[in-house]
Amino acid sequence: DFETSIKIVVVGNGGVGKSSMIQRYCKGIFTQEYKKTIGVDFLEKQIIVGTQNIHLMLWDTAGQEEFDAITKAYYRGAQICILVFSTVDRESFEAIEGWKQKVEEEVGSIITVIVQNKIDLIDEAVVQIQEAEALSQKLQLRFYRISVKDNLNVNEVFRYLAEKYITE
Ligand code: GDP
Ligand code: MG
């Protein structure tokens, strides 16, 4: 049996929902409770794409986004990057390009998507849809709007990435 293993890093400002996204996808759970550290390096998930069994390893930065030295160790060896910002956090949107650069400095150009989380809070949005689309066009990256809370579009992001990885 042939199995492909992929390391995925989920990056973005604190509070955008990175840990929630990983927990939702790997364990099927969501909690409103804010846990700054999850205490594990990564969670795993098996996904079947075509005839291939793919082993995804989802790395989380354990709430230490502000410590450069630590996050760089997390990026090492990653094949896929998910850049996350929040619908209700303007700064997190403006930080996306910087996060992309940070990851690239460590691992070069890898498969990457931009994710706008907390789309359930669209009534309180501080980022316009057109702005987010313009950024994804500029960076030439696929753009997803998701809600980890409502379990909207989360699986689609990972499926797209796994498919893209095996067809490249
Ligand atoms: P991280 O710092 O990026 O890892 O963010 P967390 O995963 O810890 O989430 C920060 C907060 O946002 C928590 O209180 C989550 O419950 C909440 N959260 C995460 N995803 C969503 C979402 O899709 N909608 C809403 N309304 N809240 C969310
Ligand atoms: Mg976190």
Side-chain angles (χ1 to χ4, degrees):
D1 247 20
F2 180 70
E3 194 180 90
T4 308
S5 240
I6 309 176
K7 175 174 175 176
I8 302 180
V9 288
V10 184
V11 303
N13 285 9
V16 298
K18 301 180 298 296
S19 300
S20 302
M21 186 185 187
I22 294 169
Q23 302 251 343
R24 164 67 86 190
Y25 184 63
C26 295
K27 295 186 183 167
I29 57 166
F30 175 75
T31 168
Q32 290 280 1
E33 211 175 297
Y34 186 85
K35 288 201 193 67
K36 210 168 193 254
T37 307
I38 59 164
V40 292
D41 290 336
F42 64 88
L43 288 177
E44 303 169 271
K45 177 99 174 172
Q46 301 281 341
I47 181 173
I48 295 167
V49 177
T51 57
Q52 282 206 56
N53 203 358
I54 301 185
H55 183 88
L56 303 179
M57 287 171 293
L58 279 115
W59 287 65
D60 194 355
T61 44
Q64 299 185 300
E65 291 87 350
E66 60 270 38
F67 301 111
D68 256 37
I70 293 167
T71 50
K72 285 203 165 179
Y74 276 100
Y75 302 155
R76 215 156 287 149
Q79 288 111 341
I80 289 177
C81 171
I82 303 178
L83 301 167
V84 188
F85 70 94
S86 161
T87 301
V88 292
D89 180 350
R90 181 82 205 168
E91 257 181 57
S92 73
F93 172 69
E94 281 161 7
I96 287 291
E97 274 196 79
W99 283 111
K100 181 174 179 279
Q101 274 167 21
K102 227 172 145 188
V103 174
E104 270 176 7
E105 275 168 27
E106 194 58 29
V107 295
S109 175
I110 56 174
I111 295 169
T112 302
V113 284
I114 302 177
V115 165
Q116 174 175 356
N117 186 32
K118 309 196 187 184
I119 210 75
D120 55 287
L121 300 176
I122 198 76
D123 292 346
E124 300 158 45
V126 293
V127 180
Q128 299 304 308
I129 285 168
Q130 300 90 307
E131 295 179 282
E133 278 171 356
L135 178 66
S136 63
Q137 284 225 330
K138 178 184 163 199
L139 300 179
Q140 295 279 294
L141 299 174
R142 173 83 67 111
F143 170 54
Y144 281 91
R145 285 187 214 103
I146 75 167
S147 168
V148 173
K149 187 181 177 196
D150 293 347
N151 202 12
L152 181 81
N153 258 344
V154 177
N155 290 352
E156 284 77 0
V157 173
F158 291 100
R159 178 148 293 277
Y160 162 73
L161 288 167
E163 281 172 359
K164 179 133 173 124
Y165 181 82
I166 63 158
T167 55
E168 273 199 351

Tab-separated table of all heavy atoms in Angstrom, residues 58-111:
chain	number	residue	atom	x	y	z
A	58	LEU	N	-1.573	18.000	10.435
A	58	LEU	CA	-1.915	19.413	10.574
A	58	LEU	C	-1.212	20.030	11.759
A	58	LEU	O	-1.521	19.716	12.903
A	58	LEU	CB	-3.430	19.533	10.735
A	58	LEU	CG	-4.092	19.451	9.389
A	58	LEU	CD1	-4.943	18.235	9.260
A	58	LEU	CD2	-4.919	20.687	9.216
A	59	TRP	N	-0.292	20.914	11.445
A	59	TRP	CA	0.506	21.537	12.493
A	59	TRP	C	-0.130	22.844	12.944
A	59	TRP	O	-0.583	23.651	12.142
A	59	TRP	CB	1.927	21.781	11.988
A	59	TRP	CG	2.692	20.489	11.903
A	59	TRP	CD1	2.418	19.437	11.067
A	59	TRP	CD2	3.813	20.099	12.688
A	59	TRP	NE1	3.315	18.417	11.302
A	59	TRP	CE2	4.176	18.795	12.278
A	59	TRP	CE3	4.552	20.726	13.698
A	59	TRP	CZ2	5.250	18.121	12.851
A	59	TRP	CZ3	5.619	20.058	14.259
A	59	TRP	CH2	5.959	18.752	13.836
A	60	ASP	N	-0.120	23.024	14.249
A	60	ASP	CA	-0.687	24.221	14.853
A	60	ASP	C	0.437	24.953	15.591
A	60	ASP	O	1.355	24.325	16.094
A	60	ASP	CB	-1.778	23.782	15.849
A	60	ASP	CG	-2.656	24.936	16.278
A	60	ASP	OD1	-2.380	26.085	15.889
A	60	ASP	OD2	-3.624	24.677	17.006
A	61	THR	N	0.348	26.271	15.628
A	61	THR	CA	1.424	27.024	16.278
A	61	THR	C	1.223	27.194	17.792
A	61	THR	O	1.905	27.960	18.429
A	61	THR	CB	1.619	28.406	15.623
A	61	THR	OG1	0.343	28.989	15.407
A	61	THR	CG2	2.373	28.297	14.330
A	62	ALA	N	0.276	26.479	18.360
A	62	ALA	CA	0.094	26.426	19.816
A	62	ALA	C	-0.017	27.800	20.471
A	62	ALA	O	0.429	28.002	21.605
A	62	ALA	CB	1.202	25.597	20.474
A	63	GLY	N	-0.600	28.744	19.758
A	63	GLY	CA	-0.834	30.065	20.326
A	63	GLY	C	0.422	30.888	20.536
A	63	GLY	O	0.426	31.856	21.283
A	64	GLN	N	1.508	30.472	19.870
A	64	GLN	CA	2.754	31.220	20.070
A	64	GLN	C	3.158	31.935	18.795
A	64	GLN	O	4.333	32.027	18.447
A	64	GLN	CB	3.830	30.263	20.564
A	64	GLN	CG	3.395	29.660	21.880
A	64	GLN	CD	4.454	28.789	22.506
A	64	GLN	OE1	4.878	27.812	21.924
A	64	GLN	NE2	4.889	29.159	23.687
A	65	GLU	N	2.140	32.472	18.135
A	65	GLU	CA	2.329	33.170	16.869
A	65	GLU	C	3.372	34.277	16.965
A	65	GLU	O	4.033	34.611	15.999
A	65	GLU	CB	1.001	33.782	16.409
A	65	GLU	CG	-0.054	32.772	15.991
A	65	GLU	CD	-0.906	32.268	17.152
A	65	GLU	OE1	-0.561	32.552	18.323
A	65	GLU	OE2	-1.903	31.584	16.887
A	66	GLU	N	3.488	34.853	18.170
A	66	GLU	CA	4.387	36.005	18.320
A	66	GLU	C	5.861	35.637	18.465
A	66	GLU	O	6.732	36.484	18.354
A	66	GLU	CB	3.933	36.886	19.490
A	66	GLU	CG	3.897	36.185	20.836
A	66	GLU	CD	2.552	35.521	21.175
A	66	GLU	OE1	1.891	34.953	20.275
A	66	GLU	OE2	2.180	35.550	22.342
A	67	PHE	N	6.155	34.345	18.663
A	67	PHE	CA	7.553	33.954	18.844
A	67	PHE	C	8.138	33.383	17.558
A	67	PHE	O	7.913	32.226	17.223
A	67	PHE	CB	7.686	32.950	19.989
A	67	PHE	CG	7.195	33.481	21.294
A	67	PHE	CD1	6.050	32.979	21.892
A	67	PHE	CD2	7.877	34.521	21.939
A	67	PHE	CE1	5.587	33.481	23.105
A	67	PHE	CE2	7.415	35.022	23.140
A	67	PHE	CZ	6.270	34.512	23.726
A	68	ASP	N	8.912	34.205	16.891
A	68	ASP	CA	9.519	33.856	15.610
A	68	ASP	C	10.255	32.523	15.588
A	68	ASP	O	10.057	31.709	14.702
A	68	ASP	CB	10.533	34.942	15.227
A	68	ASP	CG	9.959	35.826	14.150
A	68	ASP	OD1	8.733	36.084	14.217
A	68	ASP	OD2	10.712	36.234	13.260
A	69	ALA	N	11.128	32.337	16.555
A	69	ALA	CA	11.997	31.165	16.558
A	69	ALA	C	11.170	29.885	16.638
A	69	ALA	O	11.473	28.894	15.992
A	69	ALA	CB	12.969	31.225	17.720
A	70	ILE	N	10.102	29.924	17.413
A	70	ILE	CA	9.271	28.739	17.577
A	70	ILE	C	8.501	28.437	16.296
A	70	ILE	O	8.502	27.316	15.819
A	70	ILE	CB	8.307	28.929	18.773
A	70	ILE	CG1	9.124	28.988	20.056
A	70	ILE	CG2	7.265	27.820	18.823
A	70	ILE	CD1	8.380	29.478	21.260
A	71	THR	N	7.888	29.458	15.720
A	71	THR	CA	7.065	29.199	14.535
A	71	THR	C	7.919	28.716	13.360
A	71	THR	O	7.468	27.890	12.586
A	71	THR	CB	6.259	30.436	14.124
A	71	THR	OG1	7.111	31.560	14.042
A	71	THR	CG2	5.147	30.704	15.104
A	72	LYS	N	9.135	29.193	13.248
A	72	LYS	CA	9.988	28.743	12.136
A	72	LYS	C	10.244	27.251	12.188
A	72	LYS	O	10.277	26.579	11.162
A	72	LYS	CB	11.303	29.520	12.120
A	72	LYS	CG	11.073	30.927	11.595
A	72	LYS	CD	12.326	31.550	11.035
A	72	LYS	CE	11.931	32.754	10.218
A	72	LYS	NZ	13.077	33.447	9.656
A	73	ALA	N	10.389	26.715	13.380
A	73	ALA	CA	10.578	25.281	13.533
A	73	ALA	C	9.321	24.532	13.072
A	73	ALA	O	9.404	23.448	12.514
A	73	ALA	CB	10.902	24.931	14.983
A	74	TYR	N	8.157	25.138	13.279
A	74	TYR	CA	6.899	24.530	12.830
A	74	TYR	C	6.810	24.462	11.313
A	74	TYR	O	6.243	23.529	10.757
A	74	TYR	CB	5.698	25.336	13.342
A	74	TYR	CG	5.275	24.996	14.740
A	74	TYR	CD1	5.651	25.792	15.805
A	74	TYR	CD2	4.495	23.867	14.998
A	74	TYR	CE1	5.256	25.497	17.100
A	74	TYR	CE2	4.096	23.545	16.278
A	74	TYR	CZ	4.474	24.365	17.329
A	74	TYR	OH	4.087	24.061	18.594
A	75	TYR	N	7.331	25.469	10.647
A	75	TYR	CA	7.202	25.520	9.181
A	75	TYR	C	8.076	24.492	8.487
A	75	TYR	O	7.764	24.050	7.384
A	75	TYR	CB	7.604	26.897	8.641
A	75	TYR	CG	6.826	28.050	9.197
A	75	TYR	CD1	7.372	29.328	9.233
A	75	TYR	CD2	5.530	27.874	9.676
A	75	TYR	CE1	6.661	30.396	9.738
A	75	TYR	CE2	4.815	28.935	10.193
A	75	TYR	CZ	5.385	30.201	10.226
A	75	TYR	OH	4.692	31.250	10.729
A	76	ARG	N	9.185	24.130	9.108
A	76	ARG	CA	10.175	23.268	8.474
A	76	ARG	C	9.559	21.990	7.901
A	76	ARG	O	8.840	21.285	8.590
A	76	ARG	CB	11.264	22.913	9.503
A	76	ARG	CG	12.636	22.800	8.906
A	76	ARG	CD	13.709	23.037	9.973
A	76	ARG	NE	13.816	24.437	10.378
A	76	ARG	CZ	14.178	24.846	11.593
A	76	ARG	NH1	14.440	23.984	12.539
A	76	ARG	NH2	14.271	26.136	11.861
A	77	GLY	N	9.818	21.755	6.629
A	77	GLY	CA	9.340	20.513	6.005
A	77	GLY	C	7.892	20.548	5.540
A	77	GLY	O	7.374	19.549	5.043
A	78	ALA	N	7.237	21.695	5.677
A	78	ALA	CA	5.823	21.774	5.268
A	78	ALA	C	5.695	21.754	3.747
A	78	ALA	O	6.512	22.324	3.029
A	78	ALA	CB	5.188	23.042	5.830
A	79	GLN	N	4.650	21.059	3.273
A	79	GLN	CA	4.368	21.031	1.830
A	79	GLN	C	3.161	21.880	1.468
A	79	GLN	O	2.942	22.196	0.304
A	79	GLN	CB	4.113	19.587	1.375
A	79	GLN	CG	5.357	18.731	1.348
A	79	GLN	CD	5.332	17.674	2.433
A	79	GLN	OE1	4.578	17.787	3.398
A	79	GLN	NE2	6.151	16.665	2.290
A	80	ILE	N	2.371	22.216	2.484
A	80	ILE	CA	1.160	22.996	2.249
A	80	ILE	C	1.000	24.037	3.354
A	80	ILE	O	1.306	23.776	4.516
A	80	ILE	CB	-0.087	22.061	2.218
A	80	ILE	CG1	-0.084	21.206	0.947
A	80	ILE	CG2	-1.387	22.865	2.339
A	80	ILE	CD1	-1.227	20.213	0.857
A	81	CYS	N	0.488	25.215	2.960
A	81	CYS	CA	0.267	26.285	3.927
A	81	CYS	C	-1.157	26.835	3.809
A	81	CYS	O	-1.635	27.120	2.711
A	81	CYS	CB	1.285	27.400	3.677
A	81	CYS	SG	0.978	28.890	4.629
A	82	ILE	N	-1.829	26.982	4.940
A	82	ILE	CA	-3.145	27.616	4.979
A	82	ILE	C	-2.999	28.939	5.719
A	82	ILE	O	-2.630	28.971	6.888
A	82	ILE	CB	-4.180	26.711	5.692
A	82	ILE	CG1	-4.262	25.339	4.994
A	82	ILE	CG2	-5.554	27.393	5.722
A	82	ILE	CD1	-5.235	24.367	5.656
A	83	LEU	N	-3.268	30.036	4.992
A	83	LEU	CA	-3.186	31.376	5.582
A	83	LEU	C	-4.585	31.771	6.028
A	83	LEU	O	-5.501	31.838	5.209
A	83	LEU	CB	-2.699	32.381	4.536
A	83	LEU	CG	-1.330	32.137	3.892
A	83	LEU	CD1	-1.155	33.041	2.666
A	83	LEU	CD2	-0.207	32.401	4.897
A	84	VAL	N	-4.752	32.039	7.313
A	84	VAL	CA	-6.093	32.293	7.850
A	84	VAL	C	-6.227	33.716	8.392
A	84	VAL	O	-5.346	34.201	9.096
A	84	VAL	CB	-6.441	31.303	8.987
A	84	VAL	CG1	-7.915	31.443	9.400
A	84	VAL	CG2	-6.149	29.864	8.584
A	85	PHE	N	-7.356	34.363	8.024
A	85	PHE	CA	-7.724	35.609	8.706
A	85	PHE	C	-9.182	35.506	9.120
A	85	PHE	O	-9.905	34.599	8.715
A	85	PHE	CB	-7.453	36.843	7.826
A	85	PHE	CG	-8.361	37.017	6.639
A	85	PHE	CD1	-9.507	37.812	6.728
A	85	PHE	CD2	-8.072	36.410	5.419
A	85	PHE	CE1	-10.339	37.995	5.622
A	85	PHE	CE2	-8.900	36.577	4.320
A	85	PHE	CZ	-10.041	37.373	4.421
A	86	SER	N	-9.586	36.461	9.964
A	86	SER	CA	-10.952	36.439	10.493
A	86	SER	C	-11.790	37.564	9.897
A	86	SER	O	-11.315	38.685	9.716
A	86	SER	CB	-10.915	36.574	12.021
A	86	SER	OG	-12.174	36.996	12.499
A	87	THR	N	-13.052	37.234	9.633
A	87	THR	CA	-14.044	38.179	9.120
A	87	THR	C	-14.168	39.431	10.007
A	87	THR	O	-14.442	40.515	9.508
A	87	THR	CB	-15.417	37.457	9.069
A	87	THR	OG1	-15.290	36.322	8.219
A	87	THR	CG2	-16.532	38.360	8.579
A	88	VAL	N	-13.920	39.249	11.306
A	88	VAL	CA	-14.139	40.345	12.258
A	88	VAL	C	-12.842	40.918	12.826
A	88	VAL	O	-12.848	41.576	13.866
A	88	VAL	CB	-15.086	39.893	13.405
A	88	VAL	CG1	-16.501	39.670	12.858
A	88	VAL	CG2	-14.583	38.629	14.095
A	89	ASP	N	-11.726	40.681	12.138
A	89	ASP	CA	-10.430	41.166	12.619
A	89	ASP	C	-9.628	41.718	11.435
A	89	ASP	O	-8.981	40.989	10.699
A	89	ASP	CB	-9.681	40.009	13.302
A	89	ASP	CG	-8.315	40.415	13.834
A	89	ASP	OD1	-7.828	41.522	13.527
A	89	ASP	OD2	-7.719	39.592	14.556
A	90	ARG	N	-9.710	43.022	11.294
A	90	ARG	CA	-9.065	43.715	10.181
A	90	ARG	C	-7.551	43.469	10.137
A	90	ARG	O	-6.968	43.257	9.076
A	90	ARG	CB	-9.372	45.214	10.322
A	90	ARG	CG	-8.813	46.108	9.252
A	90	ARG	CD	-9.679	46.128	8.021
A	90	ARG	NE	-8.901	46.468	6.860
A	90	ARG	CZ	-9.345	46.343	5.612
A	90	ARG	NH1	-10.575	45.896	5.373
A	90	ARG	NH2	-8.586	46.652	4.593
A	91	GLU	N	-6.942	43.554	11.302
A	91	GLU	CA	-5.489	43.361	11.387
A	91	GLU	C	-5.067	41.983	10.871
A	91	GLU	O	-4.006	41.846	10.255
A	91	GLU	CB	-5.040	43.462	12.847
A	91	GLU	CG	-4.385	44.771	13.181
A	91	GLU	CD	-3.929	44.798	14.635
A	91	GLU	OE1	-3.136	43.906	15.030
A	91	GLU	OE2	-4.375	45.705	15.361
A	92	SER	N	-5.886	41.007	11.139
A	92	SER	CA	-5.538	39.639	10.715
A	92	SER	C	-5.534	39.538	9.191
A	92	SER	O	-4.745	38.790	8.612
A	92	SER	CB	-6.492	38.605	11.331
A	92	SER	OG	-7.778	38.645	10.734
A	93	PHE	N	-6.404	40.308	8.536
A	93	PHE	CA	-6.425	40.354	7.069
A	93	PHE	C	-5.177	41.057	6.547
A	93	PHE	O	-4.510	40.580	5.622
A	93	PHE	CB	-7.696	41.066	6.584
A	93	PHE	CG	-7.732	41.327	5.105
A	93	PHE	CD1	-7.847	40.277	4.204
A	93	PHE	CD2	-7.647	42.626	4.609
A	93	PHE	CE1	-7.865	40.515	2.831
A	93	PHE	CE2	-7.674	42.875	3.246
A	93	PHE	CZ	-7.777	41.819	2.355
A	94	GLU	N	-4.853	42.172	7.160
A	94	GLU	CA	-3.685	42.932	6.707
A	94	GLU	C	-2.368	42.199	6.958
A	94	GLU	O	-1.354	42.522	6.355
A	94	GLU	CB	-3.708	44.327	7.346
A	94	GLU	CG	-4.698	45.206	6.588
A	94	GLU	CD	-5.187	46.439	7.332
A	94	GLU	OE1	-4.662	46.726	8.419
A	94	GLU	OE2	-6.102	47.093	6.805
A	95	ALA	N	-2.402	41.227	7.825
A	95	ALA	CA	-1.183	40.471	8.161
A	95	ALA	C	-0.918	39.290	7.214
A	95	ALA	O	0.153	38.680	7.265
A	95	ALA	CB	-1.276	39.956	9.601
A	96	ILE	N	-1.870	38.992	6.340
A	96	ILE	CA	-1.764	37.781	5.503
A	96	ILE	C	-0.485	37.738	4.648
A	96	ILE	O	0.230	36.734	4.620
A	96	ILE	CB	-3.027	37.619	4.611
A	96	ILE	CG1	-4.227	37.183	5.459
A	96	ILE	CG2	-2.793	36.633	3.466
A	96	ILE	CD1	-4.155	35.768	6.020
A	97	GLU	N	-0.193	38.831	3.967
A	97	GLU	CA	1.008	38.831	3.110
A	97	GLU	C	2.275	38.597	3.914
A	97	GLU	O	3.196	37.926	3.453
A	97	GLU	CB	1.113	40.159	2.356
A	97	GLU	CG	0.319	40.161	1.076
A	97	GLU	CD	0.739	41.314	0.149
A	97	GLU	OE1	1.778	41.185	-0.517
A	97	GLU	OE2	0.003	42.317	0.130
A	98	GLY	N	2.322	39.186	5.087
A	98	GLY	CA	3.478	39.017	5.972
A	98	GLY	C	3.644	37.562	6.395
A	98	GLY	O	4.755	37.034	6.416
A	99	TRP	N	2.528	36.897	6.702
A	99	TRP	CA	2.586	35.474	7.068
A	99	TRP	C	3.081	34.636	5.893
A	99	TRP	O	3.874	33.715	6.058
A	99	TRP	CB	1.208	34.983	7.522
A	99	TRP	CG	0.845	35.421	8.907
A	99	TRP	CD1	-0.117	36.314	9.269
A	99	TRP	CD2	1.473	34.999	10.134
A	99	TRP	NE1	-0.140	36.457	10.638
A	99	TRP	CE2	0.825	35.665	11.187
A	99	TRP	CE3	2.525	34.122	10.426
A	99	TRP	CZ2	1.194	35.483	12.521
A	99	TRP	CZ3	2.888	33.940	11.752
A	99	TRP	CH2	2.226	34.608	12.784
A	100	LYS	N	2.602	34.977	4.711
A	100	LYS	CA	3.027	34.234	3.519
A	100	LYS	C	4.540	34.337	3.348
A	100	LYS	O	5.220	33.337	3.095
A	100	LYS	CB	2.298	34.780	2.291
A	100	LYS	CG	2.646	34.070	0.991
A	100	LYS	CD	1.782	34.575	-0.147
A	100	LYS	CE	2.131	33.907	-1.467
A	100	LYS	NZ	3.322	34.520	-2.104
A	101	GLN	N	5.039	35.553	3.510
A	101	GLN	CA	6.486	35.764	3.375
A	101	GLN	C	7.277	34.979	4.418
A	101	GLN	O	8.312	34.390	4.121
A	101	GLN	CB	6.809	37.250	3.525
A	101	GLN	CG	6.688	38.004	2.203
A	101	GLN	CD	6.686	39.506	2.397
A	101	GLN	OE1	7.156	40.003	3.425
A	101	GLN	NE2	6.151	40.228	1.438
A	102	LYS	N	6.765	34.990	5.624
A	102	LYS	CA	7.429	34.304	6.722
A	102	LYS	C	7.566	32.802	6.442
A	102	LYS	O	8.618	32.203	6.660
A	102	LYS	CB	6.599	34.497	7.997
A	102	LYS	CG	7.403	34.892	9.204
A	102	LYS	CD	6.488	35.241	10.357
A	102	LYS	CE	7.146	34.791	11.647
A	102	LYS	NZ	6.268	34.908	12.803
A	103	VAL	N	6.503	32.234	5.933
A	103	VAL	CA	6.529	30.805	5.611
A	103	VAL	C	7.491	30.561	4.449
A	103	VAL	O	8.315	29.646	4.481
A	103	VAL	CB	5.112	30.281	5.279
A	103	VAL	CG1	5.160	28.839	4.792
A	103	VAL	CG2	4.198	30.395	6.502
A	104	GLU	N	7.423	31.430	3.441
A	104	GLU	CA	8.291	31.286	2.268
A	104	GLU	C	9.766	31.395	2.606
A	104	GLU	O	10.597	30.702	2.018
A	104	GLU	CB	7.922	32.326	1.203
A	104	GLU	CG	6.877	31.787	0.246
A	104	GLU	CD	6.392	32.809	-0.777
A	104	GLU	OE1	6.959	33.927	-0.842
A	104	GLU	OE2	5.425	32.489	-1.485
A	105	GLU	N	10.083	32.253	3.545
A	105	GLU	CA	11.483	32.402	3.972
A	105	GLU	C	12.027	31.077	4.497
A	105	GLU	O	13.209	30.778	4.358
A	105	GLU	CB	11.584	33.431	5.106
A	105	GLU	CG	11.686	34.851	4.625
A	105	GLU	CD	11.482	35.841	5.763
A	105	GLU	OE1	11.761	35.494	6.933
A	105	GLU	OE2	11.010	36.968	5.471
A	106	GLU	N	11.159	30.305	5.095
A	106	GLU	CA	11.593	29.056	5.709
A	106	GLU	C	11.519	27.868	4.748
A	106	GLU	O	12.422	27.041	4.718
A	106	GLU	CB	10.734	28.798	6.956
A	106	GLU	CG	11.272	27.739	7.881
A	106	GLU	CD	12.675	28.014	8.403
A	106	GLU	OE1	13.045	29.204	8.533
A	106	GLU	OE2	13.412	27.043	8.650
A	107	VAL	N	10.457	27.774	3.962
A	107	VAL	CA	10.245	26.567	3.142
A	107	VAL	C	10.115	26.836	1.641
A	107	VAL	O	9.839	25.918	0.873
A	107	VAL	CB	9.008	25.758	3.624
A	107	VAL	CG1	9.233	25.209	5.020
A	107	VAL	CG2	7.742	26.592	3.578
A	108	GLY	N	10.294	28.087	1.232
A	108	GLY	CA	10.142	28.403	-0.183
A	108	GLY	C	8.681	28.465	-0.577
A	108	GLY	O	7.800	28.547	0.276
A	109	SER	N	8.433	28.388	-1.889
A	109	SER	CA	7.074	28.508	-2.386
A	109	SER	C	6.382	27.143	-2.355
A	109	SER	O	6.772	26.224	-3.050
A	109	SER	CB	7.142	29.074	-3.807
A	109	SER	OG	5.872	29.099	-4.371
A	110	ILE	N	5.349	26.997	-1.526
A	110	ILE	CA	4.616	25.734	-1.419
A	110	ILE	C	3.138	25.985	-1.737
A	110	ILE	O	2.705	27.123	-1.853
A	110	ILE	CB	4.766	25.084	-0.015
A	110	ILE	CG1	4.315	26.052	1.095
A	110	ILE	CG2	6.188	24.620	0.225
A	110	ILE	CD1	4.304	25.426	2.486
A	111	ILE	N	2.374	24.913	-1.876
A	111	ILE	CA	0.938	25.038	-2.140
A	111	ILE	C	0.288	25.793	-0.976
A	111	ILE	O	0.450	25.419	0.177
A	111	ILE	CB	0.290	23.644	-2.308
A	111	ILE	CG1	0.851	22.955	-3.552
A	111	ILE	CG2	-1.234	23.764	-2.387
A	111	ILE	CD1	0.470	21.488	-3.646
